[in-house]
Amino acid sequence: MFKKILIANRGEIAVRVIRACHEMGISAVAVYSEVDRASLHVRKADEAYPIGPAAAKESYLNIDKIISVAKQSGADAIHPGYGFLSENAQFARACADGGVKFIGPTAAAMDAMGSKTRARQAMEKAGVPFVPGTSRGVDSFEEAQAVAERIGYPVMLKAAAGGGGKGMRLVHSPDELQSALEGARSEAERAFGDGEVYLEKAIVNPRHIEMQVLADEHGNTVYLGERECSLQRRHQKVVEEAPSPVVDPDMRRRMGQTAVRVAQSAGYTNAGTVEFLVDQQKNFYFLEMNTRLQVEHPITELVTGLDLVHLQIHIANGEPLPFQQDDVNIRGHAIECRIYAEDPDNNYFPSPGKITLLLAPSGPGIRRDSGMYEGWTVPMDYDPLLAKLIGYGTDRAQAIGRLQRALNEYFVGGIKTNISLFRRILRDPDFQAAKIDTGFLDRLLKQKREADGHSDAGAAEAAVIAAGMFAMMGPAAAGSLERTASETPENVMSAHSNWKAAARREGLK
Ligand code: MV4
């Protein structure tokens, strides 16, 4: 077994992997950029090495620097986390060349799934259902026109090198096609250096349901149940849950077996996720495969009782899966909230700064994967994900109730967070009735803006007033939130809510 693992990442996922290493008696090596010197993952690691300035391309994306730290520290393996280099085939190759085990799939498997059209061609061969359309890029407007006529409007244009909704164009009618095609192609060229665009039948109000798969290096591949990820904002997942409220055991088996076929067609090893679009009739279509551990992996861990990071490390160590498909059981329900340093009253703009007070929830059925601590300064250089709050229960209602209780215990002082958004989502009747599709959150936020009487002009005006008030009262006002020795969290919370109430009285909300 490995004696030392380098975690080529930062934030909550780096802390999460370091914890798994320590639980397995493995030493953890952290790497950090200058602004992350005091971050939690550095504090928890056994060794930590600076790898450069804040800019990701000078630090967390610097392959040579990370490989050289792996060699210098004597790390046997590297865990890439998610984002950064986690799906970078060149990095996987550099690890192999450097004699350091990459904890994840091979570079070849990454390449096979990295291009959406190459993946669709593989699915065609493997008999996996994918959304009707082209499995190659369209070479001309005429070709796009012919395909769109064949499959029927609306159609979706997508960048082959894209993913996560980048470079997508929804086309409702023939007269929009030409300009949409030109726009998609130039955007793809600019964003990915590859202008290849393919075409799919647009699925109206789809659900995004993904299947966790796990494959060892001896040909064994299993699925570990699905995750419902339709609650998104601008293609960013906000709330995820397992199992999906619309998937019954038969559908789970069919989706799982399909996901296993996808993984096997790519010669996939280690942990991966197969994404599906699901239409209103519960037909599912292959969308893409993510060749990394995902942010939302904890909800699968809670409903299966498996630790995915432990399993990743055992698989990378050449061990066979310690269970078979029939041993995998889904029990209970888990829901994850992604806690971001964002200001919900200012278009969710990032809200970096010093965390002056942190009251974190715990108690029955609550898991918190966090990268923050009281006194830490949230840098502005990276994705503002602070922590993931997961509620687990025997059923969905209990998971919701626990998460609501935990959210009411959560208080992060000094910066803005999106915690209030989750309180709103979890108490929404449609959410509680599991009436979720990819348009849910946009509808909820639109309702909120209308309820607040917010027009865009109104928001700008409120911001000016707020700035003026802060300029006059700022330190004093902020002072009212400082915790004195005698204050208990409840008082702080009431002070917090009194301050909010005062702001509302001033018409700032
Ligand atoms: C689609 C679609 C409708 N029809 N493809 C968005 C991100 C990427 N994973 C694929 N996405 C979509 N692809 C077809 N043919 C609608 C979306 C989509 C979406 C999908 C899942 C979750 C949220 C979404 C939000 C907007 C659009």
Side-chain angles (χ1 to χ4, degrees), residues 182-446:
E182 285 157 9
R185 212 188 284 289
S186 56
E187 183 180 338
E189 191 58 57
R190 235 186 358 265
F192 315 113
D194 173 353
E196 186 186 6
V197 169
Y198 64 101
L199 200 144
E200 290 180 346
K201 175 85 182 138
I203 311 287
V204 179
N205 259 354
R207 280 176 179 261
H208 172 129
I209 298 177
E210 58 189 32
M211 190 60 74
Q212 180 69 55
V213 295
L214 197 65
D216 63 21
E217 298 179 350
H218 307 277
N220 306 304
T221 307
V222 294
Y223 60 91
L224 302 180
E226 79 284 350
R227 296 185 286 261
E228 171 75 59
C229 300
S230 300
L231 221 159
Q232 302 192 10
R233 179 174 178 273
R234 296 184 184 172
H235 301 303
Q236 272 280 12
K237 294 164 186 168
V238 172
V239 173
E240 307 101 337
E241 62 181 293
S244 165
V246 299
V247 173
D248 57 45
D250 173 60
M251 184 179 174
R252 177 170 299 117
R253 191 176 312 109
R254 288 182 292 114
M255 282 180 91
Q257 289 167 352
T258 302
V260 165
R261 277 212 315 277
V262 170
Q264 289 174 330
S265 75
Y268 200 83
T269 53
N270 215 282
T273 295
V274 180
E275 288 188 355
F276 295 96
L277 276 185
V278 178
D279 66 18
Q280 306 287 326
Q281 292 70 42
K282 291 200 195 181
N283 300 307
F284 55 88
Y285 304 94
F286 170 79
L287 197 55
E288 49 198 83
M289 179 172 192
N290 300 321
T291 58
R292 66 179 189 274
L293 180 69
Q294 307 234 158
V295 172
E296 58 269 25
H297 75 273
I299 59 178
T300 299
E301 295 189 317
L302 286 164
V303 297
T304 58
L306 299 170
D307 185 305
L308 287 178
V309 179
H310 282 232
L311 286 163
Q312 281 193 290
I313 293 169
H314 284 298
I315 286 169
N317 187 42
E319 298 166 42
L321 287 180
F323 55 81
Q324 296 183 338
Q325 188 64 59
D326 291 349
D327 303 320
V328 179
N329 295 303
I330 306 294
R331 179 177 177 153
H333 202 98
I335 303 173
E336 176 182 87
C337 297
R338 297 189 183 197
I339 311 291
Y340 281 100
E342 289 175 339
D343 183 352
D345 298 326
N346 188 14
N347 200 27
Y348 291 91
F349 282 163
S351 166
K354 182 169 181 154
I355 295 173
T356 56
L357 177 61
L358 180 57
L359 305 176
S362 57
I366 294 303
R367 169 171 165 175
R368 195 166 25 94
D369 282 20
S370 172
M372 60 173 158
Y373 61 88
E374 187 170 299
W376 178 58
T377 297
V378 183
M380 61 182 73
D381 311 82
Y382 308 109
D383 180 89
L385 179 67
L386 294 170
K388 295 157 355 190
L389 181 66
I390 302 111
Y392 175 80
T394 311
D395 56 26
R396 189 169 188 267
Q398 189 179 69
I400 292 174
R402 282 178 163 162
L403 208 41
Q404 287 177 309
R405 185 266 301 164
L407 285 163
N408 288 334
E409 292 177 6
Y410 223 152
F411 179 72
V412 185
I415 60 167
K416 297 289 178 93
T417 72
N418 63 348
I419 289 173
S420 60
L421 171 64
F422 298 111
R423 295 189 184 120
R424 188 175 181 75
I425 290 170
L426 292 181
R427 68 168 178 260
D428 178 81
D430 281 351
F431 177 82
Q432 299 203 345
K435 290 179 186 163
I436 307 162
D437 63 53
T438 48
F440 171 88
L441 195 50
D442 288 341
R443 291 192 296 272
L444 187 80
L445 294 174
K446 187 164 178 284

Side-chain angles (χ1 to χ4, degrees), residues 2-6 26-29 47 49 73-78:
F2 308 123
K3 289 194 175 23
K4 191 179 279 190
I5 292 177
L6 184 152
I26 299 172
S27 182
V29 177
E47 302 169 50
Y49 295 79
S73 63
D76 314 295
I78 291 182

Side-chain angles (χ1 to χ4, degrees), residues 488-499:
T488 60
E490 290 70 30
N491 295 352
V492 172
M493 293 302 285
S494 62
H496 174 72
S497 47
N498 291 340
W499 170 244

Side-chain angles (χ1 to χ4, degrees), residues 6-9 29-39 41-42 45 47-56 58-70 72-73 382:
L6 184 152
I7 294 88
N9 214 301
V29 177
V31 290
Y32 62 91
S33 69
E34 283 158 15
V35 289
D36 274 339
R37 182 178 298 276
S39 60
H41 77 284
V42 171
E47 302 169 50
Y49 295 79
I51 49 170
E58 312 289 331
S59 48
Y60 296 106
L61 293 174
N62 184 331
I63 293 177
D64 294 341
K65 189 72 183 153
I66 290 168
I67 298 290
S68 73
V69 169
Q72 180 188 349
S73 63
Y382 308 109

